[in-house]
Amino acid sequence: MRLKLLTAAIVLLPLPALAQTTPQDDGIVVQGTLEKMSDWRVAEGDHVIVYSNGSESELKRIAHNLERLHLLLSILLGTHERPDRTLKLRVTLIGDTAEFDAMNLRNLRSRQGPFASAFPIQRYYDPREDGAVMAGSRIDQRIMLAQGTSLANLGTREINLETGMVESTLFGSSNPNDIGTGINQVTVPLSAEGRIYGGYAQHFLLTYFPMAYPRWYLDGFGEIFATIKIREDGKIEYGRAPEGLRKVTDWFRNYPVRNVLSGKYLQDRARTRWTPYHAWVLTHYLFFSEDRKGQLQNYLMAYARGESWEKAAEAFGDPGKLANDVARYDNSKVPWERMTYPPELAAEPIIRQLNRGQAAFLKGRLELGSRITDAEGPDGAAAIAGRNRWLTRLRNDAGRYPANLDAQLLLAEAECRSGNAAECLAAAERALAIDGSNAAALNWKGVALTRQALAGPAAERAQKLRAARGFIVRANRIDSEAPAPLLAYYRSFTEASDAPPEVALEGLLKVIDTIPAAPGPRIMLGEAFAKEGNAEAARRTLRSVAEGGYDSPEKAKARTLLGAMPAAQ
């Protein structure tokens, strides 16, 4: 059996014979101009990299709190002593909600809810092949449950949630006085930081325990840790009820637990009463209840094994009793917990300011995953047209900044992932002209040459593929931790219908080890297991994609692969 579930500390691809050159040492030459600084900063900790154009103090607090939250989760879930080779989550904090919405970042590999439409989705998360990314507004909002009558404009209409005419009024400030006061107005606050902390908790679960989860549990798990309170004396409080819980549950009333556990709530979109607060109540009860936490564990394991929603829910016993228990829990004083930790276990992040060239394409890199994924999804011609419009704008922007390395790298990736090998190669060459030893540029050059070799004459294919792999190998030697060269090397064989060598398989296993939540590499590994006849290993690898809480573009292929396998014994 060639495939082994091993963890490779380092995978170096075999270096082909290349012409050797002797560097000439004629002294140091420094060229270029000093770029002006931008208003963007980056904070890097042990587990997160956070970008923001807000204040340095806010950035420091959020990045440090994410490291503290990671420590809390690792202790609660028993991963603190494990070796950790996962890539750092990259978080981008974007101004107000209008600025965030304008980016049109579609959550295709993650999805919240569906919640009542008074609760907008204001967070983007994508477990990408080069490491997971998350983005959200850094401005607090208020959710309008009932608008009432404005004192400034008595003609303002009311919003009735029960009719299906549901709207949310989002403020650019957490202070409701900024837009005036209304009569009979009912609002609840929505913390921007809480959205980020809740998103990180979900990322932690998917990264360190990568299996299939029902979406309601992912939502609820995030909500439990969205309300953390972190004190400077080394104490973290978690599990506190979200502010406004009573208002929301009184307004929307209880949601049928049976509809959640059966998955029916996922189709109840138009007039749903399911909210993040309801997800908090159900998950909090099961998570903190001494009587129910064992049942929750059994339920999650049954769901992860591929049992139906109904079969998995049998772990909770009588559904009527569970519903009554949740309702009583909602009307009682709920518990929360406090953990004390040595502050040195969650060190402060290192902060630096970005110049304008470094900051110019931060948003473009976020948009890349959404635009290219859209074109690969079910939207067809409209998605491809949208991708092409975005790509045209990117080409124009990169053309205006030919000496900007980030611009050329972003364009090279976008062109390669859009199937434009020649354009990808040209952008990679421009990046290499700026920095000849840049691993990402070498990798995209190798990918472009691989595509050209596969599209070219069959007689020349083997030689050109060897040359293309040479650039991918060089990228791996420069940055042995980067997933992209390992994936590109593996694909250079499978796309040519060749059996990947042992080192390529080990590289793929390392990628799974460093980005466990990314669905694409899991599809590749599942296929490899299936070809070797190891159906059980293939099922374990593919289930988190095929039956997970999110309908990713890769889900259909994962289900097809599972459906073609012999039934489990």
Side-chain angles (χ1 to χ4, degrees):
M1 180 66 65
R2 290 196 307 150
L3 273 173
K4 304 175 291 295
L5 285 177
L6 55 84
T7 299
I10 185 169
V11 175
L12 292 178
L13 302 176
L15 192 66
L18 299 173
Q20 300 296 311
T21 59
T22 303
Q24 301 296 316
D25 185 5
D26 294 325
I28 295 175
V29 176
V30 178
Q31 295 180 332
T33 58
L34 182 64
E35 289 197 57
K36 293 182 179 180
M37 303 308 291
S38 73
D39 59 353
W40 283 87
R41 294 176 177 83
V42 58
E44 182 165 1
D46 292 334
H47 305 94
V48 295
I49 300 173
V50 186
Y51 300 90
S52 175
N53 60 352
S55 69
E56 182 172 348
S57 60
E58 177 190 66
L59 172 62
K60 178 181 177 181
R61 181 184 69 252
I62 292 175
H64 198 187
N65 284 351
L66 286 171
E67 291 293 341
R68 291 158 164 161
L69 175 57
H70 180 96
L71 175 64
L72 169 66
L73 290 167
S74 67
I75 292 174
L76 288 177
L77 301 182
T79 65
H80 182 58
E81 300 297 331
R82 290 188 199 170
D84 186 1
R85 299 184 179 90
T86 59
L87 295 186
K88 299 176 183 180
L89 174 68
R90 288 169 290 160
V91 181
T92 305
L93 306 177
I94 298 165
D96 58 22
T97 55
E99 184 180 356
F100 178 81
D101 290 342
M103 294 180 67
N104 193 29
L105 299 173
R106 296 186 60 192
N107 275 304
L108 294 184
R109 290 192 179 91
S110 68
R111 192 69 57 86
Q112 295 169 262
F115 297 132
S117 56
F119 295 86
I121 304 303
Q122 288 293 332
R123 185 178 66 230
Y124 172 74
Y125 176 73
D126 188 1
R128 298 180 180 178
E129 291 185 359
D130 60 346
V133 299
M134 184 165 65
S137 170
R138 53 182 178 77
I139 305 298
D140 293 342
Q141 305 167 38
R142 293 195 74 84
I143 298 299
M144 187 79 73
L145 302 182
Q147 185 169 330
T149 302
S150 171
L151 293 177
N153 180 6
L154 294 178
T156 299
R157 64 190 176 94
E158 295 186 3
I159 304 298
N160 187 339
L161 294 177
E162 298 302 324
T163 67
M165 299 296 293
V166 185
E167 297 179 5
S168 61
T169 301
L170 306 180
F171 308 139
S173 167
S174 60
N175 182 1
N177 294 324
D178 287 352
I179 64 161
T181 305
I183 300 173
N184 297 325
Q185 189 180 82
V186 181
T187 68
V188 291
L190 185 65
S191 163
E193 286 189 38
R195 298 307 90 203
I196 296 298
Y197 301 147
Y200 187 83
Q202 292 176 348
H203 165 77
F204 186 98
L205 199 61
L206 293 168
T207 298
Y208 295 95
F209 300 92
M211 61 185 196
Y213 296 95
R215 192 187 303 176
W216 70 263
Y217 181 74
L218 291 172
D219 286 337
F221 187 84
E223 293 302 319
I224 287 176
F225 294 96
T227 59
I228 58 169
K229 303 294 182 184
I230 298 176
R231 295 164 36 172
E232 294 301 323
D233 59 356
K235 292 182 173 61
I236 304 178
E237 298 171 358
Y238 66 96
R240 285 186 173 275
E243 188 176 354
L245 173 64
R246 188 62 54 224
K247 282 185 181 180
V248 173
T249 53
D250 285 349
W251 186 269
F252 287 96
R253 314 220 183 276
N254 292 332
Y255 189 86
V257 173
R258 65 181 180 277
N259 288 2
V260 179
L261 298 182
S262 69
K264 182 180 178 182
Y265 84 104
L266 293 171
Q267 283 73 49
D268 186 18
R269 296 174 183 272
R271 298 178 59 182
T272 184
R273 294 182 288 112
W274 179 250
T275 73
Y277 292 75
H278 291 81
W280 181 92
V281 169
L282 177 58
T283 311
H284 192 280
Y285 167 63
L286 298 173
F287 193 86
F288 280 85
S289 169
E290 291 298 329
D291 296 330
R292 295 286 189 178
K293 63 174 57 176
Q295 295 177 347
L296 174 62
Q297 182 71 15
N298 292 336
Y299 165 80
L300 293 174
M301 294 307 296
Y303 186 92
R305 287 195 306 269
E307 301 286 2
S308 67
W309 287 78
E310 293 77 7
K311 182 68 175 176
E314 291 178 3
F316 296 118
D318 180 4
K321 184 178 187 307
L322 175 62
N324 290 334
D325 289 347
V326 172
R328 284 196 298 270
Y329 188 76
D330 181 23
N331 290 300
S332 64
K333 187 176 181 180
V334 295
W336 54 273
E337 294 182 355
R338 176 184 296 148
M339 184 189 80
T340 303
Y341 70 97
E344 63 271 13
L345 292 182
E348 289 188 1
I350 298 172
I351 298 178
R352 60 185 175 88
Q353 193 169 5
L354 302 181
N355 62 42
R356 291 183 180 180
Q358 294 168 324
F361 293 91
L362 278 176
K363 289 184 179 179
R365 181 149 295 284
L366 275 175
E367 292 170 341
L368 170 66
S370 181
R371 301 303 186 273
I372 303 301
T373 300
D374 277 356
E376 296 168 353
D379 295 341
I384 294 175
R387 178 198 68 187
N388 291 341
R389 287 193 298 271
W390 179 83
L391 191 53
T392 297
R393 291 194 297 271
L394 177 59
R395 288 168 181 161
N396 292 336
D397 291 341
R400 286 197 295 269
Y401 302 97
N404 186 312
L405 179 61
D406 293 307
Q408 304 310 319
L409 289 175
L410 178 61
L411 181 59
E413 180 176 355
E415 298 284 14
C416 263
R417 293 181 59 189
S418 299
N420 305 323
E423 292 83 354
C424 174
L425 180 60
E429 294 284 21
R430 289 193 294 272
L432 288 170
I434 300 168
D435 180 359
S437 61
N438 183 274
L442 287 166
N443 178 67
W444 291 119
K445 180 175 181 177
V447 171
L449 291 174
T450 298
R451 303 278 173 78
Q452 291 183 335
L454 294 174
E460 302 173 5
R461 187 169 300 161
Q463 179 183 356
K464 288 187 174 181
L465 281 173
R466 282 195 297 270
R469 289 177 187 132
F471 291 100
I472 297 172
V473 169
R474 287 174 59 190
N476 167 256
R477 291 300 174 109
I478 292 170
D479 186 356
S480 62
E481 298 303 309
L486 298 173
L487 292 172
Y489 189 73
Y490 184 89
R491 285 175 172 140
S492 74
F493 291 96
T494 57
E495 291 176 1
S497 300
D498 295 331
E502 186 75 21
V503 69
L505 292 166
E506 290 178 358
L508 179 58
L509 287 166
K510 179 179 179 178
V511 169
I512 299 291
D513 202 30
T514 56
I515 47 172
R522 287 192 166 271
I523 295 287
M524 296 159 64
L525 184 59
E527 284 184 301
F529 278 128
K531 287 179 180 178
E532 290 208 345
N534 192 340
E536 182 54 36
R539 277 191 285 267
R540 288 199 306 268
T541 303
L542 293 169
R543 274 188 186 131
S544 63
V545 182
E547 307 301 336
Y550 307 134
D551 297 329
S552 70
E554 296 84 3
K555 173 170 272 192
K557 185 170 184 179
R559 286 184 167 179
T560 299
L561 289 169
L562 286 176
M565 293 177 194
Q569 299 299 316

